[in-house]
Amino acid sequence: MTLIQKISIKNYQECFILDSESINLWTLEQWELELSKRTVRAFGIYHDQKIIGLCLAQFLFQQSELNFLAIHPLFRKKGLGTTLMHKLIQQSFDENIEKIFLEVSAENKTAIYLYRKMGFETIRIRSKYYQNGSDALIQERKLFKKL
C-alpha cells in the first residue's frame, strides 16, 4: 500500500536513507537540521512502511522554495514525483504562497520535464554552477491567490 504523509524531525534518519539511495545530497546532520526548521514543509510517499519518495520545501513570507525532491530508483517512472509536486503546490496554495522556486541542473532532463509539466518556467541561469560544469536553472511557478 502506498500513501503520502507529512514528514517531521522524527523521520530524519529515514529521509537520509532515501537520499543516500537516490541522489545523495545531504548528510544525516543536514537532514536533522532541515527538518527541525519551523519554515520547512516535507512530505513523503510510503510503500509498505518504507519511505520511497520525498519532497522538502522552505516556506518564507509569500514564497516557497523546493530544496529536495527524490524518488527511490526502484519506484521511478510511476508518477510519484508528480504526486509530491501536486502536494507541494496544494500546500503552497493553502498557505497563501504566491510563488514557488526551485533550482535544477540543466543536465537533469527528467526533472526539467516534470517541472515544466507542473507549470514551472526558467527565470534565471547560473552558468557553470555545479562542480561538473553544468548550469543551474532557477525556475518559478506563480500561484493564483485565493479570493
Side-chain angles (χ1 to χ4, degrees):
M1 182 174 165
T2 303
L3 68 128
I4 191 165
Q5 292 183 332
K6 185 177 177 183
I7 299 291
S8 70
I9 184 69
K10 68 181 182 176
N11 305 107
Y12 78 97
Q13 292 176 329
E14 291 174 88
C15 294
F16 172 72
I17 291 168
L18 174 65
D19 183 5
S20 299
E21 295 172 341
S22 57
I23 60 178
N24 204 25
L25 187 63
W26 292 341
T27 65
L28 184 64
E29 293 77 18
Q30 286 171 309
W31 273 107
E32 187 175 19
L33 176 64
E34 282 300 307
L35 290 170
S36 70
K37 296 176 182 175
R38 66 174 186 77
T39 55
V40 163
R41 309 291 181 273
F43 311 98
I45 294 181
Y46 284 81
H47 178 75
D48 293 335
Q49 300 181 342
K50 182 180 178 194
I51 190 167
I52 60 168
L54 180 61
C55 173
L56 180 142
Q58 183 97 12
F59 281 54
L60 289 170
F61 307 106
Q62 282 77 43
Q63 299 178 357
S64 61
E65 182 175 351
L66 177 64
N67 291 333
F68 186 90
L69 178 68
I71 305 298
H72 189 283
L74 296 177
F75 293 90
R76 291 181 181 159
K77 305 288 186 195
K78 298 181 186 305
L80 300 177
T82 300
T83 298
L84 285 172
M85 288 301 294
H86 279 298
K87 180 70 175 169
L88 172 62
I89 291 166
Q90 184 60 53
Q91 185 70 37
S92 296
F93 185 75
D94 290 347
E95 294 192 36
N96 293 314
I97 296 296
E98 295 174 5
K99 297 177 184 178
I100 304 172
F101 294 94
L102 61 86
E103 173 192 300
V104 61
S105 169
E107 294 182 358
N108 191 342
K109 302 301 182 198
T110 301
I112 292 168
Y113 174 78
L114 170 64
Y115 300 143
R116 184 178 303 125
K117 182 173 79 168
M118 301 304 297
F120 284 83
E121 297 178 355
T122 299
I123 59 168
R124 192 173 311 120
I125 298 174
R126 291 182 179 146
S127 187
K128 299 179 183 174
Y129 182 76
Y130 296 107
Q131 274 187 331
N132 67 1
S134 66
D135 295 342
L137 307 179
I138 308 303
Q139 297 192 332
E140 168 190 79
R141 174 172 171 176
K142 295 178 183 175
L143 301 178
F144 295 103
K145 284 197 169 261
K146 293 184 211 178
L147 298 177

